[in-house]
Amino acid sequence: MTAVPFVDAHFHLWKLDRLRYPWLSPPFDDSGPNGSAAAIARNYLVDDYRADMADWNVVAAVHVEAGADARDALNETIWLEQVGAMTNLPIAIVAYAALEDPQVERNLAAQAAHSRVRGIRQIVNWHADPARSYTTMDLTVDDRWQRGFAALAAYGLSFDLQCYPDQMSGLVNLFDRNPDVPVVINHLGMPVTTDAEGFARWRSGMQALSALESVSVKISGLGFIHRAWTNESVRPFLTEALELFGPERCMFASDTPTDKLFAPLDRYLATYQAFSGALSPDDQLSMWCRNAARTYHLDLSVETSIDR
C-alpha cells in the first residue's frame, strides 16, 4: 500500500443488465487482441471497485468509457453521472464519441453538457494484422476523424489516445495543430512486442509524441505488452516512458477491471509503487495524484476520499 494519495486516472464500471457491451458478451474466444474477456464479463460496480482498491489510498478516480455499444454512449454517461452523484465515483468521465461521425459536434455537445465529462476516448488501434486490430481501418488518417478531433477544443474536451506505435508519428502534426486539446496516451502506448523491432517502433512513436507539451501518458495496461508480464519484461517500457515524458507528464492508473485479465490488481500497483519508489516525494505525488488531477480538471479541495 502507498501512503501517497492516488488519483486513479483510468478505471471502468459496467452494468451488463443496463447497457450493451459487445466485447463482454458471449460467445467468447481467445482470438482477439486481448484474448477472452469471459473472466470479467459480470457487473463491476462501485462496491467492487472499492473492494479492489481497499489497500490503496485512492482519493479520486476517472472513469474511461468501457466499450459499451456506440448507441449506448450517452446512456453510459447518464448512468455514470447518476452513480457519481450518489457515490462520488467517478469524479470525472472520459466518454465515447466517434470523431468521424458526421454528427460529431452534436454528440460532443451532448457529452460535454454533463458536469463530470472531461474528455473523449475512441479506441483507434489499427494494425496490419487483422487479429490485432480493434478497427477495420486506420481512422487516424481519415480527414473526417481529424476534423472531429479538432472539434474537441470547442467543448473543452481532452482526448484519450489508444493506438498502436506505428500510428503515433502520423498524429504529431494533428496534435501540434491543436494544442488546446490535451492528449493522454493510454496504456503506455500499447507496444507490439511481436512485431519486428517492436520496442524500437514503440520508442520512436513515443519520442515523437513526447515532443508535444500537450501529450501525457498513462502508466497502465501492462498486460497489453505481455499477457504473462513480469517486472523484468515491463521495466524497460516504464523506464523509457518516464525518461521521455518526465514525472510531470506520467500518471498511474489501475485500468481495473480490464487489467485483471492478466494479473491481480495489487500486483500492478505494487509494481508501479516499486518503480516510482526511487523518485523524490514530489515526483511521486505528481505521478500518483497531481498529473491526473490537473489533466482532468479535478477539484480536490472537496472531499473525494473513498469511504472505508
Side-chain angles (χ1 to χ4, degrees):
M1 179 177 179
T2 177
V4 179
F6 180 24
V7 174
D8 189 351
H10 193 120
F11 86 108
H12 306 290
L13 301 173
W14 48 66
K15 199 170 191 307
L16 303 188
D17 53 352
R18 178 178 177 124
L19 303 171
R20 294 162 289 184
Y21 303 85
W23 72 289
L24 293 171
S25 303
F28 298 104
D29 62 64
D30 203 45
S31 62
N34 302 334
S36 173
I40 57 172
R42 57 184 61 86
N43 286 348
Y44 189 81
L45 304 174
V46 169
D47 286 348
D48 302 302
Y49 178 77
R50 285 176 165 158
D52 278 344
M53 303 301 291
D55 291 335
W56 301 88
N57 187 21
V58 175
V59 296
V62 178
H63 187 280
V64 177
E65 62 89 18
D69 188 289
R71 294 168 294 180
D72 274 337
L74 193 57
N75 289 333
E76 181 184 45
T77 297
I78 292 169
W79 172 60
L80 291 168
E81 286 279 3
Q82 293 169 351
V83 173
M86 293 185 293
T87 67
N88 212 28
L89 277 172
I91 193 174
I93 300 168
V94 177
Y96 174 84
L99 298 186
E100 78 282 7
D101 191 318
Q103 302 298 321
V104 62
E105 296 233 25
R106 182 185 69 182
N107 296 336
L108 294 179
Q111 293 286 13
H114 292 275
S115 64
R116 284 178 168 78
V117 171
R118 301 291 191 273
I120 294 295
R121 181 175 77 157
Q122 180 184 14
I123 293 174
V124 293
N125 294 72
W126 182 86
H127 194 278
D129 178 359
R132 282 201 171 273
S133 277
Y134 291 67
T135 60
T136 57
M137 63 172 288
D138 186 357
L139 288 168
T140 66
V141 301
D142 186 284
D143 288 342
R144 296 169 301 172
W145 188 88
Q146 295 198 5
R147 288 194 295 272
F149 176 88
L152 292 167
Y155 300 94
L157 297 170
S158 62
F159 185 70
D160 264 52
L161 173 67
Q162 184 171 321
C163 71
Y164 283 132
D166 284 350
Q167 298 171 279
M168 292 178 179
S169 61
L171 288 167
V172 170
N173 287 338
L174 174 66
F175 295 166
D176 193 35
R177 293 196 307 270
N178 296 278
D180 293 335
V181 180
V183 174
V184 188
I185 301 170
N186 284 193
H187 308 326
L188 274 171
M190 295 186 69
V192 183
T193 55
T194 54
D195 281 355
E197 300 182 346
F199 182 87
R201 290 184 178 188
W202 170 81
R203 186 187 187 283
S204 176
M206 293 285 278
Q207 186 173 39
L209 290 178
S210 71
L212 303 175
E213 293 183 1
S214 60
V215 181
S216 56
V217 61
K218 290 178 183 176
I219 296 178
S220 59
L222 303 183
F224 296 121
I225 303 174
H226 306 288
R227 290 189 193 179
W229 64 273
T230 65
N231 287 8
E232 293 72 24
S233 69
V234 299
R235 178 164 283 275
F237 297 94
L238 300 175
T239 300
E240 193 70 29
L242 181 58
E243 289 182 358
L244 288 172
F245 287 87
E248 68 280 358
R249 287 193 289 153
C250 292
M251 60 190 84
F252 293 120
S254 72
D255 190 34
T256 194
T258 307
D259 273 10
K260 293 164 72 174
L261 286 170
F262 312 114
L265 179 58
D266 284 345
R267 187 176 150 212
Y268 289 94
L269 298 179
T271 297
Y272 305 149
Q273 181 182 37
F275 173 70
S276 62
L279 302 177
S280 71
D282 193 63
D283 286 347
Q284 290 184 55
L285 189 59
S286 290
M287 295 176 70
W288 284 97
C289 181
R290 287 178 182 154
N291 297 341
R294 181 185 69 251
T295 299
Y296 293 112
H297 307 292
L298 307 183
D299 181 6
L300 295 186
S301 64
V302 300
E303 178 57 46
T304 57
S305 61
I306 297 178
D307 294 334
R308 296 293 183 234

